[in-house]
């Protein structure tokens, strides 16, 4: 349910961006969402359609680029995808630790006309 306030924010940002740049409407909002961001893209998509009504975002599409979480090896420093039940680094066998990759949540670009 916490997608509702964040979607209101996204619509507001895109709406403001459009106004400030002299656009007449927002065509598309491109977002980056990590699997560990805590937000569900589908829920944002649903809210977006409702909240955008009557704003410059009405009719705009929302696109997501999803980022898979990656671990960082504490020995060699390489990033790798976590295997089920294993934190082992595929390069050196060291221990992987949670990295920032996969926690992304931001608006990449806003297309207006
Ligand atoms: Zn390693």
């Amino acid at each position: 349910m916490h997608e509702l306030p964040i979607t209101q924010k996204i619509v507001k940002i895109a709406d403001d961006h459009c106004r400030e740049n002299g656009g007449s409407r927002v065509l598309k909002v491109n977002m980056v969402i990590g699997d560990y961001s805590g937000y569900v893209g589908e829920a944002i998509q649903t809210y977006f359609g409702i909240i955008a009504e009557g704003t410059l975002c009405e009719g705009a599409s929302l696109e997501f680029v999803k980022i898979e979480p990656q671990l960082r090896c504490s020995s060699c420093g390489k990033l790798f995808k976590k295997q089920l039940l294993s934190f082992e680094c595929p390069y050196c066998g060291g221990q992987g630790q949670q990295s920032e990759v996969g926690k992304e949540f931001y608006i990449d670009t806003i297309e207006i006309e």
Side-chain angles (χ1 to χ4, degrees), residues 73-78 80 89-95:
C73 175
S74 53
S75 303
C76 71
K78 284 193 172 126
F80 60 94
C89 171
Y91 305 100
C92 75
Q95 279 296 302

Side-chain angles (χ1 to χ4, degrees), residues 38-49:
Y39 292 105
V40 180
E42 287 73 18
I44 293 172
Q45 188 82 260
T46 305
Y47 286 131
F48 187 83

Side-chain angles (χ1 to χ4, degrees), residues 1-8 10 38-41 43-44 47 51:
M1 284 302 281
H2 61 292
E3 277 85 5
L4 179 58
I6 202 74
T7 308
Q8 286 169 327
I10 293 164
Y39 292 105
V40 180
I44 293 172
Y47 286 131
I51 298 165

